[in-house]
């Protein structure tokens, strides 16, 4: 089933051409607008129209999105998925630690994307898999996925999409809360590892202490930017690597595979309904703190 979206024309858009409305009011990207023009369809009050057609107040504009092609490497696989929310535009998944999000050379199958491709096929969703909030393989918690390219673009550019994490960090903190502002870039000679470097991209992470143990601290963290491995790099940078994060100086954990990092909350304003949505998860049961 192809995705469609409908708008009722408001007074301030009266006289605007369809093409201008889609670019300015509907915020179609240049790339998506081109795809709609080439292989989508546009209807005004039930009749298919060209993009130069003028709009009138109260008119109903409907766009049928072009069909999306999935990557050939994302093969459908019947995998268990913990879906905690779904509507016609978005899915929110509770991801388990140890599962990659998308296929790679190291993990060509068994990923969240493979499972979603199968789920889409079973539910007649003709779309590529659009990951809005990505998690590392060994990070658990909430992930937001869009069912179409348009929703992915709108939600990705939202500054009010907020993610909150909990982590177990090594050692004791001298401050109850703080902000880490340190630019992050790819470590020379590595395709995976990142590091704080002056020429890196700006990165900011807020932290707040929840509970202190004998040799580790339970920390709440909020991302102000979204760099690869940002929390892991920043915590290592200030001398508190995450428990189990051996890539960034953490001690191996006997009860964890990888780092103790969990996306516990996601908030965003739905770009189509304007509803504010909040999703939350408890701290994983197997954490020892």
């Amino acid at each position: 089933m192809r995705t469609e979206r409908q708008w009722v024309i408001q007074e301030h858009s009266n006289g605007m051409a369809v093409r201008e409305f889609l670019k300015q009011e509907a915020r179609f990207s240049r790339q998506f607008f081109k795809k709609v023009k080439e292989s989508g369809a546009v209807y005004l009050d039930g009749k298919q129209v060209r993009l130069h057609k003028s709009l009138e107040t109260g008119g109903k504009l409907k766009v049928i999105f072009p069909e999306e092609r999935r990557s050939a490497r994302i093969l459908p696989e019947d995998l268990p998925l913990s879906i905690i929310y779904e509507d016609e535009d978005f899915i929110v998944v509770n991801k388990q630690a140890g599962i990659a999000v998308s296929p790679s050379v190291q993990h060509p199958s068994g990923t969240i994307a493979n499972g979603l491709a199968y789920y889409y096929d079973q539910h007649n969703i003709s779309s590529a898999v659009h990951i809005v909030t990505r998690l590392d393989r060994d990070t658990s918690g909430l992930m937001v996925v869009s069912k179409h390219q348009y929703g992915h673009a709108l939600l990705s550019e939202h500054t009010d999409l907020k993610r909150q994490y909990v982590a177990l960090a090594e050692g004791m903190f001298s401050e109850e809360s703080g902000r880490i502002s340190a630019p992050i870039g790819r470590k020379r000679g590595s395709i995976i590892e990142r590091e704080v470097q002056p020429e890196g991209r700006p990165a900011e992470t807020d932290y707040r202490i929840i509970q202190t143990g004998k040799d580790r601290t339970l920390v709440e963290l909020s991302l102000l930017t979204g760099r690869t491995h940002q929390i892991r790099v920043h915590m290592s940078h200030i001398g508190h690597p995450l428990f189990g994060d051996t890539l960034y100086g953490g001690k191996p954990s006997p009860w964890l595979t990888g780092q103790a990092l969990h996306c516990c909350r996601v908030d965003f304003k739905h770009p189509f309904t304007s509803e504010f949505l909040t999703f939350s998860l408890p701290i994983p049961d197997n954490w020892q703190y």
Side-chain angles (χ1 to χ4, degrees), residues 133 144 158-165 222-223 263 265-269 276-277 279:
T133 58
V144 182
H158 268 215
T159 56
D160 57 1
L161 192 158
K162 294 180 173 59
R163 290 169 286 167
Q164 195 173 82
Y165 293 76
S222 298
L223 293 176
C263 183
R265 179 167 170 162
V266 171
D267 304 87
F268 63 90
K269 181 181 179 182
F276 282 94
L277 300 175
F279 307 96

Side-chain angles (χ1 to χ4, degrees), residues 166-167 169-178 206-213 216-221 235 238 240:
V166 287
E170 294 184 7
M172 311 283 281
F173 286 67
S174 58
E175 303 288 340
E176 288 295 314
S177 62
D206 283 345
Y207 70 87
R208 181 179 68 85
I209 305 308
I210 301 174
Q211 182 176 325
T212 300
R216 68 199 70 162
T217 303
L218 186 64
V219 190
E220 179 184 272
L221 303 118
M235 296 307 285
I238 65 171
H240 297 286

Side-chain angles (χ1 to χ4, degrees), residues 1-6 63 65 85-91 120 124-127 145-151 270 272-273 277:
M1 182 184 300
R2 293 172 67 178
T3 303
E4 61 183 53
R5 179 63 51 200
Q6 183 169 290
V63 176
F65 295 171
Y85 174 83
E86 180 177 7
D87 61 24
E88 62 180 325
D89 302 297
F90 301 105
I91 291 175
Y120 282 13
N124 198 27
I125 303 170
S126 58
S127 170
V145 180
S146 176
K147 291 182 177 179
H148 46 81
Q149 181 184 353
Y150 179 47
H270 199 295
F272 305 118
T273 68
L277 300 175

Side-chain angles (χ1 to χ4, degrees), residues 7 17 29 54 79 170:
W7 297 263
S29 66
S54 294
L79 302 171
E170 294 184 7

Side-chain angles (χ1 to χ4, degrees), residues 1-7 22 26-29 32-43 61-69 88-90 126-128 130 146-154 272:
M1 182 184 300
R2 293 172 67 178
T3 303
E4 61 183 53
R5 179 63 51 200
Q6 183 169 290
W7 297 263
L22 295 180
R27 293 184 292 166
F28 279 22
S29 66
F32 189 66
F33 177 81
K34 183 179 179 181
K35 289 182 178 180
V36 169
K37 182 179 178 181
E38 292 174 349
S39 53
V42 180
Y43 292 83
L61 182 69
K62 181 173 73 174
V63 176
I64 298 177
F65 295 171
E67 290 190 32
E68 296 185 7
R69 292 184 179 180
E88 62 180 325
D89 302 297
F90 301 105
S126 58
S127 170
H130 299 279
S146 176
K147 291 182 177 179
H148 46 81
Q149 181 184 353
Y150 179 47
H152 181 266
L154 288 182
F272 305 118

